[in-house]
Amino acid sequence: MKIVDARVVLTSPGRNFVTLRIETDEGVTGLGDATLNGRELAVASYLRDHVVPLLMGSDPHRIEDTWQSLYRGAYWRRGPVTMAAIAAVDVALWDIKAKVAGLPLYQLLGGASRERVRTYGHASGRDIPELFDSIRARLAEGYPAIRVQTGVPGLKLVYGVRPAQDAAQGARPVVEDWDTAAYLRNLPKVFDAVRQEFGPGLPLLHDAHHRLTPIQAARLGKDLEPYDLFWLEDCTPAENQEGLRLVRSHTTTPLAIGEVFNTVFDYQTLISEQLIDYVRSAVTHFGGVSPLRKLFDFAAQHQIKSAVHGPEDISPVGMAAAIHLDLAIHNFGIQEYAGYTELTDAVFPHAYTFTDGHLHPGEAPGLGVGLDEELAAAHPYEAAYLPINRLQDGTIHDW
Ligand code: KDG
Ligand code: MG
């Protein structure tokens, strides 16, 4: 079997997605997600200009060898652009292999370890009443666990709160504002109110989105302990693995990190010293199914669980790959699932299902996701940036 064609499809059915389609001489095709929110064209060029020519004529069954040659052969390793491009190839090749086998991908990853995949959904509000309405809406949709984000008194635009806050924002980034002290004062009150309203049993999560110093994160973790969070996510900037030592030594609030990590090397200290409880990488940004499977096996040795990143900017192709992994691995924790617009589902028709807050990859051979290229072409790429974030005095801060 040989790869005879590979092309990059850019589409924006509400937000941008980058998809790689690989075709073989036997007519079997595979899809991979290469979406890097806000920097989509860089990955598209990396694939078109530097990767696709190398794939022509090669054997699609040699997934590990292809992965290693793209990773090692470039010499310039790691980084989000490189790893998103390699991920798209890896996932497309797994899609082809599973289609040839006539099996859903999860069967090639060891078969199902559970009946279905538990998810968490996003609730947010500018204030407590709006937040409660949002939590009720997610519960009505069946979500068994809820991520809670709120406005901070005195701030106009805060991460996770405006509807579609991280969706396409046009040709210039929206500027959000931030005050860490106000946030640290406010958040425990929010969780106190949520626990009083929704009781002790509902799993609650929160994303600090890389904004705290280690000592601030340690204090927040302690302050949130009475509210029994499922996790506190990305409490400190991801570059500083050692910072998690200080956080960990001060709080028993579980910690999740890793959505911006690209390789296992970003996790070495965090996993080997057991400084976190959940690894958050996406198939799409971590080089694909092959390396993510290895990461989960490493994490399992330290009783750390999976929690694959699953916002709207992972395409249904990347989401499907995650769901197959989630079903197969032993140390599955939870899957983030924000859902998609009807138009996105039409561009990417899929076998996976979302029922009662749980996902299942379905039984179609391969990933179980298609790409309607005509519909995709009718919704072309639109330049869009993520927001940026400034402190009250104008200083740029982590977003
Ligand atoms: O593109 C950025 C988003 O993927 C990110 O802001 C979403 O933090 C996020 C999450 O936990 O889903
Ligand atoms: Mg996050």
Side-chain angles (χ1 to χ4, degrees), residues 144-184:
I146 313 278
R147 187 186 84 161
V148 169
Q149 306 295 135
T150 60
V152 176
L155 300 186
K156 293 185 293 296
L157 293 173
V158 172
Y159 167 79
V161 176
R162 281 177 304 125
Q165 44 78 31
D166 57 356
Q169 297 290 346
R172 302 290 301 175
V174 167
V175 181
E176 298 188 350
D177 54 349
W178 189 245
D179 177 343
T180 302
Y183 164 78
L184 291 176

Side-chain angles (χ1 to χ4, degrees), residues 93-359:
L93 296 186
W94 276 110
D95 191 16
I96 290 169
K97 192 184 278 295
K99 281 178 182 163
V100 170
L103 293 169
L105 174 59
Y106 76 84
Q107 294 290 12
L108 271 58
L109 301 173
S113 286
R114 57 196 49 77
E115 302 305 319
R116 56 188 192 158
V117 168
R118 170 174 69 156
T119 69
Y120 71 89
H122 295 178
S124 70
R126 281 164 296 184
D127 52 25
I128 301 268
E130 208 175 273
L131 173 64
F132 283 5
D133 286 348
S134 177
I135 294 175
R136 285 191 196 100
R138 295 295 87 74
L139 291 174
E141 286 160 9
Y143 280 102
I146 313 278
R147 187 186 84 161
V148 169
Q149 306 295 135
T150 60
V152 176
L155 300 186
K156 293 185 293 296
L157 293 173
V158 172
Y159 167 79
V161 176
R162 281 177 304 125
Q165 44 78 31
D166 57 356
Q169 297 290 346
R172 302 290 301 175
V174 167
V175 181
E176 298 188 350
D177 54 349
W178 189 245
D179 177 343
T180 302
Y183 164 78
L184 291 176
R185 280 195 303 274
N186 184 58
L187 197 65
K189 292 184 207 153
V190 170
F191 275 95
D192 188 49
V194 172
R195 277 286 174 232
Q196 285 191 38
E197 181 72 13
F198 295 93
L202 178 63
L204 297 174
L205 303 80
H206 177 73
D207 191 345
H209 227 240
H210 323 273
R211 291 173 180 208
L212 307 177
T213 64
I215 199 71
Q216 290 166 342
R219 149 120 180 263
L220 181 63
K222 274 171 80 165
D223 288 350
L224 293 176
E225 279 172 22
Y227 311 112
D228 190 21
L229 264 61
F230 187 91
W231 78 41
L232 173 61
E233 176 182 338
D234 285 341
C235 59
T236 52
E239 296 91 332
N240 181 6
Q241 291 189 47
E242 290 72 20
L244 269 293
R245 288 190 188 123
L246 190 144
V247 184
R248 191 64 154 181
S249 64
H250 283 91
T251 181
T252 57
T253 292
L255 302 173
I257 203 162
E259 67 184 45
V260 300
F261 291 177
N262 311 126
T263 71
V264 68
F265 300 105
D266 300 321
Y267 281 107
Q268 249 167 0
T269 303
L270 299 175
I271 292 179
S272 59
E273 294 186 24
Q274 202 130 6
L275 301 181
I276 55 172
D277 301 280
Y278 295 91
V279 292
R280 290 275 295 130
S281 291
V283 176
T284 306
H285 302 134
F286 202 75
V289 164
S290 304
L292 204 53
R293 176 68 202 241
K294 293 173 194 173
L295 172 72
F296 292 152
D297 289 344
F298 175 32
Q301 294 170 33
H302 298 269
Q303 293 170 282
I304 294 168
K305 293 192 173 185
S306 76
V308 178
H309 190 214
E312 305 88 337
D313 48 285
I314 299 293
S315 89
V317 176
M319 177 58 64
I323 303 166
H324 284 280
L325 265 170
D326 293 337
L327 199 73
I329 58 169
H330 178 251
N331 56 329
F332 168 73
I334 200 163
Q335 173 65 53
E336 181 181 27
Y337 182 69
Y340 297 100
T341 61
E342 271 179 36
L343 184 57
T344 300
D345 283 336
V347 171
F348 298 98
H350 50 76
Y352 71 75
T353 51
F354 178 69
T355 315
D356 296 332
H358 292 75
L359 289 158

Side-chain angles (χ1 to χ4, degrees), residues 6-7 9 36 38 45 62 126 154 167 173 223 291 366 370:
R7 61 182 181 279
V9 177
L36 187 61
S45 162
R62 297 185 63 172
R126 281 164 296 184
D223 288 350

